[in-house]
Amino acid sequence: MNAVPEIHISACPHDCPSTCALEVEKLDAHHIGAVRGAKENTYTAGVICSKVARYAERIHHPDRLTVPLRRTGAKGAGEFSPLDWDEALDEVAEALLKAEQRHGSETVWPYFYAGTMGLVMRDGINRLRHAKKYSGEHATICVTSAWNGYLAGTGKLAGVDPREMAVADVIVIWGTNAASTQVNVMVHALRARTERGAKIVVIDTYRNATAKQADSFLCVRPGTDGALACAVMHVLFRDGYANRGYLEQYTDCPHELEAHLKTRTPAWAEAICGVPTAEIEAFAKLVGTTPRSFFRLGYGFSRSRNGVSNMHAALSIPAVTGAWLHEGGGAFHNNGAVFHWDRTLIDGLDVRDPEVRALDQSRIGAVLLGDRFDLGDGPPVTAMLIQSTNPMSVAPDQNAVHAGFVREDLFVCVHEQFMTETAKVADIVLPATMFLEHDDIYQGGGHQHIIFGPKVIESPEGCRSNHEVICGLASRLGAQHRGFDLTPREIIDWTLQSSGWGTLAQLESTAWIDCQPGFDEAHFIEGFGHDDGRFHFAPDWSAFGPSGFGPVGDDAVPPALPDHWTSIEEATIDMPFRLVTAPARHYLNSSFNETATSARRERRPSVMLHPDDASELGLAPGQMARLGNARGELSIEVELFDGLHRGVVIVESIWPNDSFPGGQGINVLTGADPVSPTGGAAFHDNRIWIKAA
């Protein structure tokens, strides 16, 4: 190995809002050493999570897949025999063509998500989809509700420069356990506290790692954030903290909002959300008297059936105070709109047929079981190509998902790095590269940088990238598109130039591009993203598309103005507990399930139960409990925890299903019923019963 490691700049590829800029030690052509945060990147600022810092453990894992496999036993039995790459791709192509001949092209469903956030490797599967007119995928499993709620207010998926947290006087971290899932937020927030004496306020459903570092923690019951937000705005109007000049110039209906909030008192909110009236009053006064109040709004809002309304309500607070006018004030959720990509070549948009149906990703169980709500008048799904996701573990309503995948008439090809639960039910398994073994490009989620991720080392012999697999199948399937004949570097270079970001050579010379707009644009000083230039307290919810994916009926429409929307799974006499499946610090998602250090640090699945609830149930710490609802049930160890409301339980996830007794994982309890207005999965919004195992 080299005496002095080479240092290469890259980007973390995992499904996390940070997309950290990395410094990677290259030891030789096949091995990496340490992985660190890039010090020169002004958002990452040299800090990354422990999961990625030990990435050598994952990329050099002895259990990586390196040979294509053909199923020889029953689905899920894990019995496979090796075959070479040409045989494997030939068999996959033949199966897809046979399915298409039998049922038409829409019977094939390419399925993917964010196992990599690289634009070429993640989204190139869409080019094959569009070229072949396979069924589309409506991506709903993670961000839909939060994005829609934010867009409802601002009209644009962008906001204040996230680095401005460091110059804020109050940082409100709402709906995200940043210490576990996007550590850079904490870097900038703690810097503000150290340098400016800033106050950190955390709003969440339990006293998690972020809440433990806060100056003030407001513990809400799941799905009640909208009630808290309304009570805060009630106080802002009542006590003269509302910036009426700003409201008149920049918002759509401030007088209607003020009148609407007259009855949304802190006492009213306390009865709903559980935050004491005194804490609501104090929080409202804090943000009302502190112009530099920065609202960092997270993806927890996506996990409730009323999440779109809750996000919009929380986002409305800085519009009432006029915090947007100040550096270090306003709000931020995601900067997706600042990159203005031309995705034609990556996604194959120039061959997309808008008449081809799309299927809701979150409802994969119902789709595979033939639900007509999802399939419409189209054919059943009889063939799938899966990349960058593990639905047998991560999708909601797991019993339906598992039943769908074991259908004998369903052909499944999985392209993966490890033998995941989804790979085990595949007919063909293809070994995949990892992010340091191919070229790709990344955009910040929690920040504003474009980062090139070059190929740093050679992959294990036998692994191929997502791009290679898609192009190899395209040639066998007769799919035509110029992107199939280009290398990832050529696609990246064209996309950069077509999007106005220069060339790949220029990007390589600078390591990243800072795309952050200036103050006036980021703070909407020249107007918000709606046609009228105003922040909308009263959104037109019917304008959110695509249509046909959300729930139906009058109760499916969010409130006209910010409010507590009672569309959640409220507790009942038979199911008196509310379950939140929050992300675990050392897993984040199933990508790190195979990493030994992550598994050792997480130890085992457990349910966090309030001591008083445990006492009533006759449950002791370490005892096995049974959790269930109409969707399924499972066994899990009890952990006593007083950092939540009675009647609320937390299971930090996501553990593999076989980590639970009986092989029933946490997502047997989560629902796949569509979330308003355009679909989504409510992972933190589940009513359950609990009893001794």
Side-chain angles (χ1 to χ4, degrees):
M1 294 188 179
N2 297 330
V4 179
E6 298 176 10
I7 303 298
H8 292 260
I9 298 296
S10 188
C12 176
H14 288 286
D15 188 11
C16 159
S18 291
T19 320
C20 293
L22 305 178
E23 296 176 359
V24 181
E25 289 185 353
K26 178 179 179 179
L27 303 181
D28 59 32
H30 296 276
H31 298 88
I32 65 165
V35 178
R36 297 180 290 270
K39 294 179 181 178
E40 299 301 317
N41 184 278
T42 52
Y43 183 75
T44 301
V47 179
I48 59 172
C49 70
S50 60
K51 297 180 290 294
V52 176
R54 56 177 183 266
Y55 212 85
E57 183 180 349
R58 187 171 193 274
I59 201 167
H60 302 312
H61 198 294
D63 293 340
R64 279 191 65 178
L65 295 171
T66 57
V67 178
L69 301 169
R70 177 196 293 122
R71 178 171 64 87
T72 57
K75 289 193 176 188
E79 297 172 5
F80 294 90
S81 61
L83 67 167
D84 66 38
W85 265 100
D86 283 335
E87 284 182 295
L89 291 177
D90 286 346
E91 289 194 18
V92 175
E94 181 180 5
L96 299 185
L97 288 169
K98 283 183 177 178
E100 183 179 350
Q101 290 166 0
R102 242 182 255 117
H103 300 286
S105 63
E106 289 182 337
T107 196
V108 180
W109 193 19
Y111 191 89
F112 78 107
Y113 201 55
T116 175
M117 297 294 278
L119 303 188
V120 174
M121 298 300 165
R122 181 188 67 191
D123 301 325
I125 192 172
N126 285 327
R127 196 180 327 119
L128 181 65
R129 181 196 314 280
H130 296 146
K132 288 294 295 177
K133 300 186 188 303
Y134 294 152
S135 282
E137 178 183 282
H138 180 39
T140 58
I141 204 164
C142 186
V143 303
T144 309
S145 295
W147 282 11
N148 283 340
Y150 193 90
L151 287 165
T154 63
K156 182 180 180 181
L157 191 61
V160 174
D161 186 335
R163 295 167 294 193
E164 287 186 32
M165 280 183 285
V167 298
D169 294 320
V170 172
I171 300 103
V172 181
I173 301 173
W174 197 337
T176 175
N177 183 5
S180 294
T181 63
Q182 43 181 319
V183 67
N184 308 97
V185 169
M186 300 308 297
V187 170
H188 295 284
L190 293 172
R191 177 184 165 193
R193 182 157 69 187
T194 300
E195 297 180 359
R196 303 174 58 82
K199 301 298 183 184
I200 299 174
V201 180
V202 170
I203 303 171
D204 216 313
T205 54
Y206 72 115
R207 192 176 65 241
N208 52 37
T210 307
K212 291 174 183 176
Q213 299 186 56
D215 298 286
S216 176
F217 169 48
L218 278 61
C219 187
V220 296
R221 296 187 180 105
T224 63
D225 309 74
L228 173 61
C230 286
V232 169
M233 290 186 285
H234 169 95
V235 175
L236 295 174
F237 279 111
R238 184 197 70 195
D239 292 353
Y241 300 131
N243 188 329
R244 296 188 181 277
Y246 183 86
L247 286 163
E248 291 296 333
Q249 182 177 352
Y250 284 100
T251 70
D252 61 342
C253 58
H255 302 290
E256 290 87 339
L257 177 67
E258 182 177 8
H260 166 71
L261 294 172
K262 288 283 188 183
T263 59
R264 272 58 175 179
T265 65
W268 166 85
E270 179 180 354
I272 297 169
C273 70
V275 179
T277 294
E279 293 183 19
I280 298 173
E281 295 273 3
F283 174 51
K285 182 177 181 180
L286 179 66
V287 297
T289 57
T290 311
R292 294 175 184 263
S293 292
F294 190 110
F295 284 71
R296 185 60 175 86
L297 305 173
Y299 287 97
F301 290 102
S302 272
R303 316 295 190 239
S304 292
R305 287 167 179 78
N306 60 0
V308 65
S309 180
N310 290 338
M311 167 64 91
H312 176 247
L315 178 65
S316 295
I317 296 173
V320 172
T321 65
W324 291 98
L325 292 170
H326 307 280
E327 184 184 21
F332 180 82
H333 173 61
N334 180 285
N335 242 342
V338 308
F339 301 106
H340 50 76
W341 291 114
D342 180 347
R343 299 177 60 90
T344 303
L345 196 53
I346 291 174
D347 287 281
L349 298 179
D350 47 347
V351 293
R352 176 179 176 271
D353 183 349
E355 298 301 315
V356 173
R357 74 176 177 188
L359 302 172
D360 189 338
Q361 168 195 33
S362 297
R363 289 183 52 77
I364 182 173
V367 168
L368 294 182
L369 293 179
D371 195 318
R372 279 294 148 195
F373 174 84
D374 302 281
L375 298 177
D377 58 2
V381 170
T382 62
M384 296 185 72
L385 169 64
I386 299 176
Q387 289 184 325
S388 305
T389 189
N390 182 17
M392 281 283 288
S393 176
V394 306
D397 198 8
Q398 280 280 292
N399 282 332
V401 175
H402 290 192
F405 268 111
V406 297
R407 280 173 36 207
E408 285 301 325
D409 66 330
L410 175 67
F411 172 83
V412 177
C413 171
V414 173
H415 185 204
E416 253 297 354
Q417 298 162 348
F418 293 94
M419 185 56 74
T420 64
E421 293 171 85
T422 307
K424 288 179 181 177
V425 297
D427 298 281
I428 299 290
V429 179
L430 306 175
T433 53
M434 291 192 186
F435 79 107
L436 294 172
E437 299 163 352
H438 54 242
D439 295 312
D440 214 334
I441 191 167
Y442 303 83
Q443 70 176 52
H447 59 85
Q448 64 295 322
H449 292 96
I450 293 171
I451 306 175
F452 176 59
K455 179 178 179 178
V456 175
I457 59 172
E458 297 297 326
S459 65
E461 185 177 358
C463 296
R464 294 190 185 181
S465 72
N466 287 12
H467 179 72
E468 290 176 291
V469 167
I470 293 302
C471 294
L473 288 175
S475 66
R476 290 165 169 81
L477 294 166
Q480 300 294 316
H481 192 276
R482 57 190 171 125
F484 297 134
D485 300 318
L486 301 177
T487 66
R489 292 180 65 90
E490 289 170 328
I491 293 174
I492 292 166
D493 188 52
W494 183 94
T495 300
L496 284 166
Q497 293 188 58
S498 184
S499 305
W501 296 118
T503 66
L504 175 56
Q506 291 170 324
L507 174 56
E508 287 185 284
S509 70
T510 61
W512 47 72
I513 302 169
D514 188 341
C515 306
Q516 181 61 44
F519 178 90
D520 284 1
E521 182 178 344
H523 287 253
F524 299 106
I525 300 301
E526 297 169 354
F528 286 89
H530 296 293
D531 290 342
D532 61 5
R534 294 174 178 269
F535 183 93
H536 284 188
F537 293 126
D540 178 9
W541 294 112
S542 67
F544 286 84
S547 62
F549 289 100
V552 296
D554 294 338
D555 294 338
V557 180
L561 289 165
D563 213 337
H564 170 58
W565 186 24
T566 58
S567 62
I568 57 177
E569 275 198 357
E570 297 279 12
T572 64
I573 294 174
D574 293 333
M575 288 181 280
F577 292 92
R578 304 285 313 291
L579 166 68
V580 173
T581 61
R585 182 165 198 158
H586 299 286
Y587 281 155
L588 180 62
N589 48 49
S590 71
S591 295
F592 290 93
N593 282 168
E594 293 83 12
T595 307
T597 302
S598 289
R600 185 174 66 251
R601 291 182 177 180
E602 290 297 333
R603 297 192 302 166
R604 68 199 182 285
S606 64
V607 56
M608 298 181 188
L609 190 62
H610 194 283
D612 293 342
D613 287 333
S615 178
E616 282 194 4
L617 292 166
L619 290 169
Q623 186 176 348
M624 297 302 294
R626 199 79 179 147
L627 279 58
N629 58 21
R631 303 177 189 108
E633 55 185 84
L634 57 86
S635 294
I636 190 169
E637 186 173 315
V638 170
E639 174 185 349
L640 300 190
F641 181 68
D642 63 1
L644 40 61
H645 286 286
R646 291 200 62 183
V648 176
V649 297
I650 309 291
V651 177
E652 291 187 330
S653 300
I654 184 170
W655 284 86
N657 291 313
D658 61 11
S659 297
F660 293 78
Q664 294 284 294
I666 196 61
N667 278 322
V668 302
L669 303 177
T670 59
D673 48 302
V675 171
S676 181
T678 62
F683 288 104
H684 298 354
D685 185 2
N686 314 279
R687 56 176 166 241
I688 62 168
W689 49 258
I690 303 176
K691 60 186 179 183

